[in-house]
Amino acid sequence: MTMKLKQISTIFLFLFLLAALISCGKSQNQGDETISLTISAAASLNEALSEIKTIYESDHKGIELLLNFGGSGSLQQQITQGAPVDLFFSAAEDRYNQLVDEGLIDSTYSTDLLGNQLVLITPKQSNVNIEKLQDLLTSDVRQIAIGIPETVPAGMYAQQTLKQLGLWEKLSEKIIPSKDVRQVLSYVETNNVDAGIVYKSDALSSNKVNNVMIIAAELHDPIIYPVGIVDGTKNQEEAVKFFKFLQSDDAIKIFQKYGFNIVGKNNE
């Protein structure tokens, strides 16, 4: 009987320890669980947000930032259609405001954060002489890349500029519409087009283009980058922390490094 009791006691002890180990394992896994935040952002924010991602993930263990870059119009449409996004960082107020009007942006955590400038660029290896926008009319200029005005804010601003100067209709056959501002930059870098219109921040990121001129701000709508938390995010607490970090001194220094202006710091 004593031997059987010892055996039973040993079995119960084994089961208890096994249960304890399983419990500890579960707790450890829960503690190590990674929270992923999806940030849909204008393509022109690529370098700045990629650097911010590295710093933020290093300082916030267990947080993974998933950066989804594209034209602001396309990203806005994705969110409208229910894409699982935590924050939206647009390069245009109109696209962003559509989401606000639809109740898809949390108004408590929403701000106009950055500004930018529009620039005319040409390939470094080009022999075509372009010094101003009117030079795009010359026969030497065959193709000009801009973002698709309907979905790419930089393209919309470029179209506004050319219309203001009475050049849009005259240049229409030369225009190469591009899916986002980074595609415009790529076309110019590879000498596939004679000129392009991009943001200052994009032009500064490349050593393969000439920055011909900064386009006067009065020729187009103000270039404002609003950012906000998408309403209904499943990661509200972490989304708020990152939203506030984007307005911190550390983040602002990075944005300025890549050519952006700071237009607002709210909800800190």
Side-chain angles (χ1 to χ4, degrees):
M1 180 68 70
T2 304
M3 182 63 68
K4 288 184 178 179
L5 286 173
K6 285 184 178 180
Q7 290 176 341
I8 293 172
S9 298
T10 302
I11 291 171
F12 273 115
L13 178 61
F14 173 79
L15 292 175
F16 173 80
L17 291 174
L18 181 61
L21 287 171
I22 293 173
S23 177
C24 288
K26 286 183 178 178
S27 298
Q28 185 175 1
N29 287 338
Q30 289 173 353
D32 294 341
E33 182 180 354
T34 297
I35 295 175
S36 297
L37 291 178
T38 299
I39 296 91
S40 285
S44 51
L45 289 161
N46 194 316
E47 280 80 13
L49 282 184
S50 294
E51 184 169 333
I52 286 173
K53 167 185 165 74
T54 300
I55 294 172
Y56 194 81
E57 288 180 344
S58 176
D59 293 340
H60 298 76
K61 302 302 182 184
I63 300 298
E64 179 186 24
L65 301 181
L66 304 177
L67 302 178
N68 175 36
F69 295 109
S72 296
S74 298
L75 298 175
Q76 172 252 320
Q77 290 170 11
Q78 291 172 12
I79 294 171
T80 297
Q81 293 166 5
V85 176
D86 297 294
L87 289 95
F88 180 41
F89 209 151
S90 175
E93 290 182 293
D94 62 339
R95 298 295 180 178
Y96 184 87
N97 288 338
Q98 286 184 41
L99 295 180
V100 173
D101 293 341
E102 293 170 5
L104 295 176
I105 295 292
D106 185 344
S107 59
T108 304
Y109 300 104
S110 173
T111 188
D112 292 341
L113 184 58
L114 305 178
N116 214 330
Q117 293 175 291
L118 214 57
V119 298
L120 175 65
I121 59 173
T122 58
K124 277 282 189 185
Q125 300 178 346
S126 174
N127 295 319
V128 180
N129 184 33
I130 300 174
E131 297 181 356
K132 55 186 183 298
L133 288 166
Q134 286 77 5
D135 291 338
L136 298 176
L137 293 170
T138 64
S139 58
D140 289 338
V141 177
R142 295 160 297 140
Q143 294 183 315
I144 307 156
I146 69 168
I148 300 169
E150 292 76 19
T151 58
V152 183
M156 177 185 71
Y157 300 132
Q159 183 185 58
Q160 291 173 352
T161 296
L162 297 175
K163 283 185 174 181
Q164 278 284 93
L165 295 173
L167 300 175
W168 178 251
E169 295 298 332
K170 298 175 183 178
L171 295 173
S172 60
E173 293 185 0
K174 298 183 180 185
I175 298 294
I176 304 297
S178 308
K179 68 176 183 177
D180 56 45
V181 72
R182 284 315 170 99
Q183 188 172 69
V184 176
L185 182 65
S186 176
Y187 285 159
V188 178
E189 286 179 327
T190 53
N191 210 9
N192 282 311
V193 297
D194 300 300
I197 297 178
V198 299
Y199 294 122
K200 175 184 175 183
S201 55
D202 297 296
L204 291 176
S205 72
S206 175
N207 59 5
K208 298 178 181 178
V209 301
N210 299 310
N211 298 328
V212 176
M213 62 174 290
I214 294 177
I215 294 171
E218 57 266 24
L219 292 175
H220 54 76
D221 290 345
I223 301 175
I224 302 295
Y225 286 64
V227 59
I229 294 177
V230 176
D231 192 60
T233 172
K234 296 179 180 179
N235 303 301
Q236 179 75 13
E237 182 180 350
E238 297 304 332
V240 169
K241 289 179 181 178
F242 183 64
F243 173 78
K244 291 182 176 180
F245 180 79
L246 289 172
Q247 300 168 75
S248 69
D249 290 341
D250 288 341
I252 283 171
K253 288 176 183 177
I254 294 173
F255 288 128
Q256 291 175 325
K257 168 183 167 182
Y258 288 100
F260 293 95
N261 308 319
I262 307 303
V263 299
K265 288 175 65 179
N266 299 324
N267 297 304
E268 291 189 281

